[in-house]
PDB file of all heavy atoms in Angstrom:
ATOM      1  N   GLU A   9     129.804  39.884  66.551  1.00 82.00           N
ATOM      2  CA  GLU A   9     129.928  41.367  66.510  1.00 82.00           C
ATOM      3  C   GLU A   9     128.622  42.000  66.736  1.00 82.00           C
ATOM      4  O   GLU A   9     127.564  41.434  66.524  1.00 82.00           O
ATOM      5  CB  GLU A   9     130.442  41.746  65.049  1.00 82.00           C
ATOM      6  CG  GLU A   9     131.829  41.274  64.743  1.00 82.00           C
ATOM      7  CD  GLU A   9     132.906  42.152  65.270  1.00 82.00           C
ATOM      8  OE1 GLU A   9     132.613  43.314  65.546  1.00 82.00           O
ATOM      9  OE2 GLU A   9     134.049  41.686  65.406  1.00 82.00           O
ATOM     10  N   LEU A  10     128.665  43.249  67.139  1.00 83.00           N
ATOM     11  CA  LEU A  10     127.497  44.064  67.304  1.00 83.00           C
ATOM     12  C   LEU A  10     126.799  44.338  65.934  1.00 83.00           C
ATOM     13  O   LEU A  10     127.466  44.608  64.949  1.00 83.00           O
ATOM     14  CB  LEU A  10     127.924  45.431  67.882  1.00 83.00           C
ATOM     15  CG  LEU A  10     126.874  46.302  68.491  1.00 83.00           C
ATOM     16  CD1 LEU A  10     126.125  45.635  69.568  1.00 83.00           C
ATOM     17  CD2 LEU A  10     127.489  47.558  69.027  1.00 83.00           C
ATOM     18  N   GLN A  11     125.502  44.112  65.916  1.00 86.00           N
ATOM     19  CA  GLN A  11     124.731  44.285  64.679  1.00 86.00           C
ATOM     20  C   GLN A  11     123.925  45.584  64.699  1.00 86.00           C
ATOM     21  O   GLN A  11     123.477  45.998  65.759  1.00 86.00           O
ATOM     22  CB  GLN A  11     123.788  43.091  64.427  1.00 86.00           C
ATOM     23  CG  GLN A  11     124.505  41.756  64.388  1.00 86.00           C
ATOM     24  CD  GLN A  11     125.403  41.635  63.166  1.00 86.00           C
ATOM     25  OE1 GLN A  11     125.001  41.890  62.059  1.00 86.00           O
ATOM     26  NE2 GLN A  11     126.603  41.149  63.413  1.00 86.00           N
ATOM     27  N   ASN A  12     123.735  46.176  63.569  1.00 87.00           N
ATOM     28  CA  ASN A  12     122.827  47.361  63.464  1.00 87.00           C
ATOM     29  C   ASN A  12     121.424  46.891  63.801  1.00 87.00           C
ATOM     30  O   ASN A  12     120.981  45.854  63.342  1.00 87.00           O
ATOM     31  CB  ASN A  12     122.891  48.003  62.102  1.00 87.00           C
ATOM     32  CG  ASN A  12     124.180  48.785  61.895  1.00 87.00           C
ATOM     33  OD1 ASN A  12     124.732  49.279  62.778  1.00 87.00           O
ATOM     34  ND2 ASN A  12     124.583  48.825  60.599  1.00 87.00           N
ATOM     35  N   GLU A  13     120.701  47.705  64.514  1.00 89.00           N
ATOM     36  CA  GLU A  13     119.294  47.415  64.855  1.00 89.00           C
ATOM     37  C   GLU A  13     118.483  48.653  64.529  1.00 89.00           C
ATOM     38  O   GLU A  13     118.956  49.775  64.595  1.00 89.00           O
ATOM     39  CB  GLU A  13     119.135  47.138  66.348  1.00 89.00           C
ATOM     40  CG  GLU A  13     119.884  45.891  66.792  1.00 89.00           C
ATOM     41  CD  GLU A  13     119.253  44.605  66.324  1.00 89.00           C
ATOM     42  OE1 GLU A  13     118.103  44.581  65.928  1.00 89.00           O
ATOM     43  OE2 GLU A  13     119.929  43.574  66.342  1.00 89.00           O
ATOM     44  N   GLU A  14     117.191  48.431  64.163  1.00 89.00           N
ATOM     45  CA  GLU A  14     116.276  49.510  63.893  1.00 89.00           C
ATOM     46  C   GLU A  14     115.200  49.469  64.937  1.00 89.00           C
ATOM     47  O   GLU A  14     114.779  48.393  65.385  1.00 89.00           O
ATOM     48  CB  GLU A  14     115.689  49.357  62.490  1.00 89.00           C
ATOM     49  CG  GLU A  14     116.694  49.666  61.376  1.00 89.00           C
ATOM     50  CD  GLU A  14     116.013  49.709  60.026  1.00 89.00           C
ATOM     51  OE1 GLU A  14     114.780  49.878  59.963  1.00 89.00           O
ATOM     52  OE2 GLU A  14     116.748  49.639  59.055  1.00 89.00           O
ATOM     53  N   ALA A  15     114.752  50.673  65.360  1.00 91.00           N
ATOM     54  CA  ALA A  15     113.646  50.766  66.293  1.00 91.00           C
ATOM     55  C   ALA A  15     112.851  51.986  66.034  1.00 91.00           C
ATOM     56  O   ALA A  15     113.393  52.939  65.525  1.00 91.00           O
ATOM     57  CB  ALA A  15     114.218  50.752  67.769  1.00 91.00           C
ATOM     58  N   LYS A  16     111.567  51.917  66.345  1.00 92.00           N
ATOM     59  CA  LYS A  16     110.761  53.085  66.168  1.00 92.00           C
ATOM     60  C   LYS A  16     110.893  54.032  67.411  1.00 92.00           C
ATOM     61  O   LYS A  16     111.202  53.559  68.529  1.00 92.00           O
ATOM     62  CB  LYS A  16     109.248  52.726  66.101  1.00 92.00           C
ATOM     63  CG  LYS A  16     109.002  51.903  64.832  1.00 92.00           C
ATOM     64  CD  LYS A  16     107.531  51.664  64.661  1.00 92.00           C
ATOM     65  CE  LYS A  16     107.358  50.900  63.355  1.00 92.00           C
ATOM     66  NZ  LYS A  16     105.997  50.800  62.902  1.00 92.00           N
ATOM     67  N   GLU A  17     110.779  55.347  67.181  1.00 94.00           N
ATOM     68  CA  GLU A  17     110.932  56.288  68.261  1.00 94.00           C
ATOM     69  C   GLU A  17     109.965  55.971  69.338  1.00 94.00           C
ATOM     70  O   GLU A  17     108.779  55.581  69.076  1.00 94.00           O
ATOM     71  CB  GLU A  17     110.714  57.706  67.776  1.00 94.00           C
ATOM     72  CG  GLU A  17     111.927  58.238  67.022  1.00 94.00           C
ATOM     73  CD  GLU A  17     111.971  59.777  66.991  1.00 94.00           C
ATOM     74  OE1 GLU A  17     111.437  60.426  67.841  1.00 94.00           O
ATOM     75  OE2 GLU A  17     112.538  60.302  65.989  1.00 94.00           O
ATOM     76  N   GLY A  18     110.399  56.093  70.590  1.00 95.00           N
ATOM     77  CA  GLY A  18     109.532  55.801  71.751  1.00 95.00           C
ATOM     78  C   GLY A  18     109.571  54.400  72.184  1.00 95.00           C
ATOM     79  O   GLY A  18     109.152  54.038  73.277  1.00 95.00           O
ATOM     80  N   LYS A  19     110.108  53.459  71.344  1.00 95.00           N
ATOM     81  CA  LYS A  19     110.215  52.021  71.714  1.00 95.00           C
ATOM     82  C   LYS A  19     111.557  51.775  72.357  1.00 95.00           C
ATOM     83  O   LYS A  19     112.283  52.706  72.633  1.00 95.00           O
ATOM     84  CB  LYS A  19     110.015  51.205  70.435  1.00 95.00           C
ATOM     85  CG  LYS A  19     108.666  51.380  69.786  1.00 95.00           C
ATOM     86  CD  LYS A  19     107.511  50.897  70.641  1.00 95.00           C
ATOM     87  CE  LYS A  19     106.252  51.030  69.922  1.00 95.00           C
ATOM     88  NZ  LYS A  19     105.111  50.542  70.766  1.00 95.00           N
ATOM     89  N   GLN A  20     111.885  50.531  72.503  1.00 95.00           N
ATOM     90  CA  GLN A  20     113.226  50.190  73.030  1.00 95.00           C
ATOM     91  C   GLN A  20     113.922  49.269  72.035  1.00 95.00           C
ATOM     92  O   GLN A  20     113.309  48.670  71.207  1.00 95.00           O
ATOM     93  CB  GLN A  20     113.159  49.528  74.401  1.00 95.00           C
ATOM     94  CG  GLN A  20     112.674  48.090  74.408  1.00 95.00           C
ATOM     95  CD  GLN A  20     112.762  47.500  75.808  1.00 95.00           C
ATOM     96  OE1 GLN A  20     112.753  48.157  76.814  1.00 95.00           O
ATOM     97  NE2 GLN A  20     112.905  46.177  75.831  1.00 95.00           N
ATOM     98  N   VAL A  21     115.223  49.284  72.103  1.00 95.00           N
ATOM     99  CA  VAL A  21     116.084  48.431  71.248  1.00 95.00           C
ATOM    100  C   VAL A  21     117.108  47.687  72.105  1.00 95.00           C
ATOM    101  O   VAL A  21     117.568  48.298  73.133  1.00 95.00           O
ATOM    102  CB  VAL A  21     116.735  49.317  70.125  1.00 95.00           C
ATOM    103  CG1 VAL A  21     117.792  50.257  70.680  1.00 95.00           C
ATOM    104  CG2 VAL A  21     117.378  48.405  69.055  1.00 95.00           C
ATOM    105  N   ARG A  22     117.448  46.507  71.696  1.00 95.00           N
ATOM    106  CA  ARG A  22     118.435  45.674  72.382  1.00 95.00           C
ATOM    107  C   ARG A  22     119.602  45.424  71.537  1.00 95.00           C
ATOM    108  O   ARG A  22     119.482  44.872  70.411  1.00 95.00           O
ATOM    109  CB  ARG A  22     117.781  44.385  72.831  1.00 95.00           C
ATOM    110  CG  ARG A  22     118.691  43.392  73.574  1.00 95.00           C
ATOM    111  CD  ARG A  22     117.975  42.092  73.839  1.00 95.00           C
ATOM    112  NE  ARG A  22     116.688  42.241  74.429  1.00 95.00           N
ATOM    113  CZ  ARG A  22     116.350  42.120  75.685  1.00 95.00           C
ATOM    114  NH1 ARG A  22     117.273  41.850  76.586  1.00 95.00           N
ATOM    115  NH2 ARG A  22     115.104  42.342  76.075  1.00 95.00           N
ATOM    116  N   LEU A  23     120.787  45.818  71.994  1.00 95.00           N
ATOM    117  CA  LEU A  23     122.071  45.535  71.237  1.00 95.00           C
ATOM    118  C   LEU A  23     122.792  44.442  72.044  1.00 95.00           C
ATOM    119  O   LEU A  23     122.869  44.533  73.253  1.00 95.00           O
ATOM    120  CB  LEU A  23     122.898  46.825  71.197  1.00 95.00           C
ATOM    121  CG  LEU A  23     122.238  48.014  70.511  1.00 95.00           C
ATOM    122  CD1 LEU A  23     123.159  49.253  70.638  1.00 95.00           C
ATOM    123  CD2 LEU A  23     121.929  47.757  69.077  1.00 95.00           C
ATOM    124  N   THR A  24     123.326  43.495  71.300  1.00 94.00           N
ATOM    125  CA  THR A  24     123.952  42.293  71.888  1.00 94.00           C
ATOM    126  C   THR A  24     125.256  42.016  71.215  1.00 94.00           C
ATOM    127  O   THR A  24     125.389  42.130  69.946  1.00 94.00           O
ATOM    128  CB  THR A  24     123.060  41.071  71.761  1.00 94.00           C
ATOM    129  OG1 THR A  24     121.769  41.400  72.338  1.00 94.00           O
ATOM    130  CG2 THR A  24     123.626  39.904  72.504  1.00 94.00           C
ATOM    131  N   CYS A  25     126.288  41.638  71.973  1.00 93.00           N
ATOM    132  CA  CYS A  25     127.535  41.107  71.437  1.00 93.00           C
ATOM    133  C   CYS A  25     127.985  39.912  72.282  1.00 93.00           C
ATOM    134  O   CYS A  25     127.555  39.776  73.457  1.00 93.00           O
ATOM    135  CB  CYS A  25     128.618  42.143  71.334  1.00 93.00           C
ATOM    136  SG  CYS A  25     129.122  42.860  72.947  1.00 93.00           S
ATOM    137  N   GLU A  26     128.781  39.068  71.699  1.00 93.00           N
ATOM    138  CA  GLU A  26     129.315  37.890  72.432  1.00 93.00           C
ATOM    139  C   GLU A  26     130.808  37.927  72.379  1.00 93.00           C
ATOM    140  O   GLU A  26     131.420  38.128  71.326  1.00 93.00           O
ATOM    141  CB  GLU A  26     128.783  36.597  71.828  1.00 93.00           C
ATOM    142  CG  GLU A  26     129.163  35.410  72.661  1.00 93.00           C
ATOM    143  CD  GLU A  26     128.566  34.088  72.164  1.00 93.00           C
ATOM    144  OE1 GLU A  26     127.783  34.131  71.143  1.00 93.00           O
ATOM    145  OE2 GLU A  26     128.842  33.042  72.756  1.00 93.00           O
ATOM    146  N   LEU A  27     131.396  37.657  73.491  1.00 92.00           N
ATOM    147  CA  LEU A  27     132.870  37.727  73.679  1.00 92.00           C
ATOM    148  C   LEU A  27     133.418  36.299  73.815  1.00 92.00           C
ATOM    149  O   LEU A  27     132.713  35.357  74.089  1.00 92.00           O
ATOM    150  CB  LEU A  27     133.232  38.515  74.939  1.00 92.00           C
ATOM    151  CG  LEU A  27     132.628  39.926  74.967  1.00 92.00           C
ATOM    152  CD1 LEU A  27     132.740  40.502  76.376  1.00 92.00           C
ATOM    153  CD2 LEU A  27     133.320  40.817  73.945  1.00 92.00           C
ATOM    154  N   SER A  28     134.715  36.154  73.583  1.00 93.00           N
ATOM    155  CA  SER A  28     135.360  34.871  73.669  1.00 93.00           C
ATOM    156  C   SER A  28     135.681  34.417  75.064  1.00 93.00           C
ATOM    157  O   SER A  28     135.989  33.245  75.289  1.00 93.00           O
ATOM    158  CB  SER A  28     136.655  34.871  72.859  1.00 93.00           C
ATOM    159  OG  SER A  28     137.580  35.813  73.361  1.00 93.00           O
ATOM    160  N   LYS A  29     135.614  35.316  76.075  1.00 91.00           N
ATOM    161  CA  LYS A  29     135.933  34.984  77.407  1.00 91.00           C
ATOM    162  C   LYS A  29     134.825  35.509  78.380  1.00 91.00           C
ATOM    163  O   LYS A  29     134.589  36.724  78.376  1.00 91.00           O
ATOM    164  CB  LYS A  29     137.272  35.625  77.787  1.00 91.00           C
ATOM    165  CG  LYS A  29     137.788  35.269  79.187  1.00 91.00           C
ATOM    166  CD  LYS A  29     139.115  35.872  79.382  1.00 91.00           C
ATOM    167  CE  LYS A  29     139.627  35.642  80.741  1.00 91.00           C
ATOM    168  NZ  LYS A  29     140.882  36.303  81.021  1.00 91.00           N
ATOM    169  N   PRO A  30     134.252  34.631  79.207  1.00 90.00           N
ATOM    170  CA  PRO A  30     133.218  35.075  80.175  1.00 90.00           C
ATOM    171  C   PRO A  30     133.844  36.025  81.189  1.00 90.00           C
ATOM    172  O   PRO A  30     135.048  35.956  81.537  1.00 90.00           O
ATOM    173  CB  PRO A  30     132.698  33.827  80.787  1.00 90.00           C
ATOM    174  CG  PRO A  30     133.767  32.826  80.601  1.00 90.00           C
ATOM    175  CD  PRO A  30     134.504  33.214  79.362  1.00 90.00           C
ATOM    176  N   GLY A  31     132.971  36.897  81.741  1.00 83.00           N
ATOM    177  CA  GLY A  31     133.416  37.838  82.797  1.00 83.00           C
ATOM    178  C   GLY A  31     134.268  38.989  82.342  1.00 83.00           C
ATOM    179  O   GLY A  31     134.750  39.720  83.184  1.00 83.00           O
ATOM    180  N   THR A  32     134.393  39.152  81.049  1.00 88.00           N
ATOM    181  CA  THR A  32     135.182  40.301  80.542  1.00 88.00           C
ATOM    182  C   THR A  32     134.292  41.580  80.656  1.00 88.00           C
ATOM    183  O   THR A  32     133.190  41.601  80.213  1.00 88.00           O
ATOM    184  CB  THR A  32     135.549  40.055  79.062  1.00 88.00           C
ATOM    185  OG1 THR A  32     136.284  38.863  78.986  1.00 88.00           O
ATOM    186  CG2 THR A  32     136.374  41.248  78.536  1.00 88.00           C
ATOM    187  N   LEU A  33     134.868  42.615  81.277  1.00 88.00           N
ATOM    188  CA  LEU A  33     134.134  43.897  81.433  1.00 88.00           C
ATOM    189  C   LEU A  33     133.933  44.523  80.042  1.00 88.00           C
ATOM    190  O   LEU A  33     134.804  44.708  79.294  1.00 88.00           O
ATOM    191  CB  LEU A  33     134.908  44.806  82.324  1.00 88.00           C
ATOM    192  CG  LEU A  33     134.277  46.167  82.615  1.00 88.00           C
ATOM    193  CD1 LEU A  33     132.933  45.959  83.371  1.00 88.00           C
ATOM    194  CD2 LEU A  33     135.173  47.015  83.411  1.00 88.00           C
ATOM    195  N   VAL A  34     132.613  44.851  79.816  1.00 91.00           N
ATOM    196  CA  VAL A  34     132.239  45.522  78.555  1.00 91.00           C
ATOM    197  C   VAL A  34     131.902  46.959  78.883  1.00 91.00           C
ATOM    198  O   VAL A  34     131.181  47.238  79.780  1.00 91.00           O
ATOM    199  CB  VAL A  34     131.050  44.814  77.915  1.00 91.00           C
ATOM    200  CG1 VAL A  34     130.524  45.597  76.709  1.00 91.00           C
ATOM    201  CG2 VAL A  34     131.422  43.395  77.484  1.00 91.00           C
TER     202      VAL A  34
END
Side-chain angles (χ1 to χ4, degrees):
E9 294 276 340
L10 193 59
Q11 301 294 311
N12 285 330
E13 297 288 341
E14 289 188 17
K16 293 187 179 192
E17 282 201 30
K19 300 295 183 182
Q20 75 175 25
V21 66
R22 179 184 312 260
L23 302 175
T24 305
C25 64
E26 186 175 0
L27 306 165
S28 60
K29 183 178 176 184
T32 303
L33 181 63
V34 172

